[in-house]
Amino acid sequence: MVADQEHEQYIDTILKTIEEAAKVRGTGIAKRTHEYLATKMREAKAVIALHGDRFAGFSYIETWGNREYVTTSGLIVHPDYRGLGLAKRIKDMTFTLARIRWPHAKIFSLTSGAAVMAMNTALGYKPVTFADLTDDEAFWRGCEGCINVDVLHRTNRKYCICTGMLFDPEEHLPAKIPENVIRRIQEIDNVHLQPLP
């Protein structure tokens, strides 16, 4: 479901799950604060999966470069719920949420995970160079918490351990999203959105 302020109680568990997954994989990850994720939930820019009242998975979206680019980030599934297809369902929902909120924005991903690359490819993302991604310095500062940031610096931000992937909406048909989510976004953004065909 699209997360809201009622789900803030899960943030510490989400952050711990992300940190532990990065340690197991031996890869870097951009660190996020409790307040950052709480803001995403309040702004209807996050998706959470629950099994009863237990945390199962999470991801969020963020805009960059005057909303010309969007990322779906922080995708994590709790170890107890891996292997069930939950990551794909969360990825699909954050992707659709991003497309309906910013239908003309390019959606991009930086990942070192083969599973995320496969999900991105299925959604229409293509591998790109970092030059094809946002030049918004605020986005790139998020990489500073990664253990591999030295590679990014040494290459003058041309490449790193992660693969850049980009979805260009001009190459695809419009997304569909449920009416109740459209109404919630309209309330938050105080704008009138039309359902896409």
Side-chain angles (χ1 to χ4, degrees), residues 75-143:
L75 177 61
I76 190 70
V77 174
H78 190 278
D80 294 348
Y81 299 96
R82 291 185 184 149
L84 304 173
L86 187 55
K88 182 181 182 325
R89 290 178 62 192
I90 293 168
K91 180 73 174 183
D92 289 350
M93 191 167 189
T94 54
F95 179 77
T96 301
L97 185 60
R99 288 205 63 206
I100 196 68
R101 290 191 79 160
W102 304 285
H104 302 291
K106 293 178 179 179
I107 305 172
F108 72 96
S109 173
L110 284 181
T111 184
S112 60
V116 173
M117 287 182 212
M119 285 186 278
N120 286 346
T121 300
L123 288 168
Y125 288 71
K126 295 178 182 173
V128 295
T129 66
F130 283 15
D132 294 316
L133 306 178
T134 184
D135 60 1
D136 190 323
E137 292 300 323
F139 170 78
W140 295 102
R141 278 194 299 273
C143 293

Side-chain angles (χ1 to χ4, degrees), residues 28-42:
I29 193 158
K31 294 190 192 253
R32 299 294 181 233
T33 65
H34 184 102
E35 185 54 36
Y36 184 83
L37 294 189
T39 300
K40 296 293 151 218
M41 291 178 177
R42 288 183 217 126

Side-chain angles (χ1 to χ4, degrees), residues 7 18 27 38 45 49 52 54 57 59-60 70 77 89 100 114 136 147 154-155 164 175 181 185 193 196:
H7 299 110
I18 291 171
T27 59
K45 293 179 181 175
R54 291 189 63 206
S59 186
Y60 64 89
V70 179
V77 174
R89 290 178 62 192
I100 196 68
D136 190 323
I147 61 171
R154 284 196 320 263
T155 64
V181 174
I185 292 168
L193 298 176
L196 297 173

Side-chain angles (χ1 to χ4, degrees), residues 130 146 148-153 155 157-163:
F130 283 15
C146 175
N148 299 310
V149 72
D150 62 310
V151 178
L152 191 67
H153 291 301
T155 64
R157 213 163 60 197
K158 290 181 183 167
Y159 63 89
C160 195
I161 302 300
C162 287
T163 298

Side-chain angles (χ1 to χ4, degrees), residues 37-75:
L37 294 189
T39 300
K40 296 293 151 218
M41 291 178 177
R42 288 183 217 126
E43 294 176 346
K45 293 179 181 175
V47 170
I48 191 166
L50 301 174
H51 181 234
D53 62 352
R54 291 189 63 206
F55 167 71
F58 180 79
S59 186
Y60 64 89
I61 59 178
E62 180 63 85
T63 59
W64 307 99
N66 294 317
R67 297 182 178 173
E68 293 177 17
Y69 291 88
V70 179
T71 53
T72 61
S73 301
L75 177 61

